[in-house]
Amino acid sequence: MTPIEEDVLETALNWKQAGRRVAVATVTSTWGSSPRPAGSQLVVDDKGAMVGSVSGGCIEGAVVREALEVMQDGKPRLLDFGITNEQAWEVGLACGGKLQVYVERLE
Amino acid sequence: MKAAFLERLLAAKQARQAIALVTDLGSNAQAIFDPVAPDNPLDLTPAQRDAVSAALDANQSDEIEIEGRRLFVQARVPAPRLIVVGAVHITQALAPMAALAGYEVVVVDPRRAFATAERFPGINLRHDWPDEALDALQVDARSAVVTLTHDPKIDDPALDRALKSPAFYIGALGSKKTHAARLHRLKSAGFDDAALARIHGPAGLAIGAKSPAEIAISVLAQLTAARHGRPTRLADATPAAAQ
């Protein structure tokens, strides 16, 4: 039995080998009570399918939109997010946080 | 990210090697950082190399600002591994509990009637003799070995290999009397007192464990303490599984 946390990079490689376009988003730094630690990853394909998580839900939509653009132009991006208290409340967190996410295409 | 880097990261995981992917957030240059490889594709200075190495040692993915560069280190450290020798009743509780706690679990028992997929759904089972199994598994410093059979023919070869390895935890179930006899045999086999002191016997924290599940909890608690460098023997220690 393997640990319960899945390895999203295995999925990324499987998708790539299946001929899909793939982008990887990685939390590089966090401030305050950000929901997921640095190193957390979200893998996205060109249809918007995703595995993993960079925030527990509040910024995934925006990250997927950027990921689709990165798949097009191939230019890595470092994105800034501030999670407001209101958004944080909606995803079940007591307070806000800030984080940076690096989005890159799998070549 | 190059697919080749991704393949390298996954291969390292398979080989249970700690490795990092380093990204220069200024230039977007990227490379694999292998602590035992001399190559330096990102032209890291010695101080930058040390900082990346420290992040990897701490299993801490993080952004590092050092000497004018912003580096992101994605640390990939293999999961701790628990090798359980003996596919017994306690193992049926311990194996899934340890998996939940983040361990990669392997159960070794040459007795095929014990180590069955019905009794251990989803668990990695091996039917070779423990010495051969442990040689094949290459017990490293992120591995723990626990013997639960009470049968010297099965437990002793496992303990022999565990004591010759850098395993971070070694435990053996059995009463104090059984354990004393075990230590005597291992001593005759050439292990000194310092080596034998590595064995937690009887395995488990003294929390009054009785049922197989409770004994599994006491062993897992001791493992947790060992993993995080805390004392593994309580002061008032009537060991848990002294049955």
Side-chain angles (χ1 to χ4, degrees):
Chain A
M1 188 178 274
T2 48
I4 49 176
E5 187 130 346
E6 62 182 334
D7 193 338
V8 298
L9 292 186
E10 280 176 22
T11 307
L13 190 61
N14 290 341
W15 285 0
K16 179 77 185 159
Q17 285 169 346
R20 300 198 225 175
R21 272 194 283 197
V22 180
V24 179
T26 307
V27 177
T28 58
S29 53
T30 65
W31 296 265
S33 59
S34 192
R36 300 276 285 139
S40 302
Q41 292 183 310
L42 177 74
V43 170
V44 184
D45 80 352
D46 44 359
K47 298 277 195 299
M50 54 176 166
V51 289
S53 153
V54 287
S55 77
C58 28
I59 61 163
E60 266 72 4
V63 171
V64 168
R65 278 196 295 281
E66 293 283 344
L68 292 170
E69 281 185 31
V70 170
M71 284 178 223
Q72 292 294 332
D73 65 23
K75 289 185 194 131
R77 291 159 171 70
L78 189 59
L79 311 174
D80 276 296
F81 290 97
I83 300 175
T84 65
N85 283 342
E86 213 166 283
Q87 286 172 322
W89 182 258
E90 283 169 17
V91 295
L93 300 157
C95 49
K98 283 202 299 181
L99 69 161
Q100 285 194 317
V101 179
Y102 188 76
V103 187
E104 60 191 313
R105 183 166 75 182
L106 184 56
E107 307 289 349
Chain B
M1 188 196 300
K2 292 180 190 155
F5 291 163
L6 194 46
E7 284 168 9
R8 184 87 191 278
L9 294 175
L10 295 173
K13 181 186 178 187
Q14 207 64 37
R16 294 186 56 76
Q17 287 164 352
I19 195 171
L21 180 69
V22 180
T23 306
D24 184 321
L25 295 175
S27 68
N28 291 314
Q30 210 168 40
I32 295 283
F33 177 84
D34 179 344
V36 295
D39 62 329
N40 187 7
L42 291 179
D43 291 320
L44 301 177
T45 64
Q48 289 166 347
R49 227 185 130 77
D50 287 349
V52 171
S53 194
L56 183 56
D57 284 345
N59 191 12
Q60 185 76 55
S61 294
D62 210 355
E63 187 183 315
I64 300 169
E65 267 199 87
I66 181 164
E67 295 179 332
R69 276 177 109 173
R70 277 176 74 196
L71 302 171
F72 176 69
V73 182
Q74 176 82 10
R76 305 257 311 173
V77 175
R81 181 170 54 174
L82 172 62
I83 302 166
V84 186
V85 176
V88 298
H89 204 174
I90 293 166
T91 315
Q92 286 180 278
L94 180 58
M97 281 182 194
L100 276 175
Y103 289 85
E104 184 191 318
V105 180
V106 186
V107 174
V108 180
D109 199 321
R111 302 167 298 179
R112 286 175 184 273
F114 285 70
T116 65
E118 291 74 45
R119 281 160 51 85
F120 296 93
I123 304 279
N124 183 4
L125 301 172
R126 296 186 66 111
H127 296 116
D128 37 0
W129 278 87
D131 46 354
E132 290 163 10
L134 267 59
D135 285 347
L137 290 166
Q138 298 184 332
V139 182
D140 57 23
R142 277 185 285 272
S143 298
V145 178
V146 179
T147 66
L148 300 177
T149 72
H150 297 95
D151 182 345
K153 283 200 305 298
I154 300 174
D155 284 354
D156 283 12
L159 292 170
D160 175 86
R161 291 306 196 270
L163 287 169
K164 290 170 181 165
S165 81
F168 75 89
Y169 175 89
I170 304 171
L173 204 70
S175 68
K176 280 184 174 170
K177 203 173 143 194
T178 306
H179 190 57
R182 175 187 293 138
L183 293 181
H184 186 74
R185 288 193 305 276
L186 289 168
K187 207 164 187 173
S188 308
F191 292 103
D192 61 20
D193 289 338
L196 296 177
R198 290 176 65 200
I199 304 176
H200 294 80
L205 284 186
I207 55 173
K210 299 261 187 295
S211 69
E214 288 178 348
I215 293 168
I217 289 169
S218 80
V219 172
L220 196 51
Q222 197 170 47
L223 263 177
T224 308
R227 187 178 161 196
H228 299 299
R230 295 306 185 94
T232 53
R233 291 168 171 102
L234 298 182
D236 173 26
T238 307
Q243 79 245 76

